Amino acid sequence: EVQLVESGGGLVQAGGSLRLSCAASGFTFDDYVIGWFRQAPGKEREGVSCISSSDGSTYYADSVKGRFTISSDNAKNTVTLQMNSLKPEDTAFYYCVATELITTARVMEIRDFGSWGQGTQVTVSS
């Protein structure tokens, strides 16, 4: 059974940083693309970033490019999202997601990601 457990959310002032971690279990880590969606109140879910454990490719939404960095530790089955220069518009519930339907990181479609964590709240105050 695929399990994704997020940690690291919280409250931070604009311009600050947070690090989200996703601990994965129940599947062969190297075969999956793992990433993060977020959803703000009243908005659609947005694919933020993902990484391919097999080829190391990464994807970032334009809204976070240059501020967020995703990385994976294949030995620990963990994916980390380092979020810097946070803005109030980054406030959302962040979900760790995983899929074996794609092998290279690219624009994230909800339909591709069948495994979701419970999520963690990120709040950025102005």
Side-chain angles (χ1 to χ4, degrees):
E1 178 187 1
V2 174
Q3 286 195 326
L4 304 168
V5 180
E6 303 96 335
S7 61
L11 172 65
V12 66
Q13 288 189 330
S17 298
L18 281 175
R19 179 178 295 178
L20 302 183
S21 292
C22 176
S25 62
F27 61 94
T28 305
F29 195 76
D30 291 354
D31 293 340
Y32 277 64
V33 169
I34 300 174
W36 299 85
F37 273 87
R38 67 184 181 185
Q39 187 166 24
K43 294 188 177 181
E44 294 184 353
R45 289 188 180 184
E46 175 190 18
V48 175
S49 179
C50 63
I51 186 167
S52 167
S53 301
S54 60
D55 66 12
S57 58
T58 58
Y59 161 80
Y60 297 95
D62 287 342
S63 57
V64 306
K65 202 171 292 183
R67 300 187 298 121
F68 291 11
T69 302
I70 193 168
S71 60
S72 68
D73 184 334
N74 289 16
K76 296 182 178 180
N77 285 10
T78 300
V79 170
T80 298
L81 185 68
Q82 178 67 42
M83 305 185 295
N84 298 329
S85 302
L86 283 162
K87 305 175 181 180
E89 50 263 45
D90 293 317
T91 295
F93 213 68
Y94 284 69
Y95 298 91
C96 181
V97 295
T99 181
E100 60 179 341
L101 297 181
I102 59 175
T103 56
T104 296
R106 56 170 175 77
V107 174
M108 298 171 71
E109 302 287 346
I110 290 177
R111 63 174 179 265
D112 289 335
F113 291 85
S115 300
W116 291 68
Q118 292 298 306
T120 185
Q121 177 69 42
V122 171
T123 303
V124 184
S125 63
S126 57

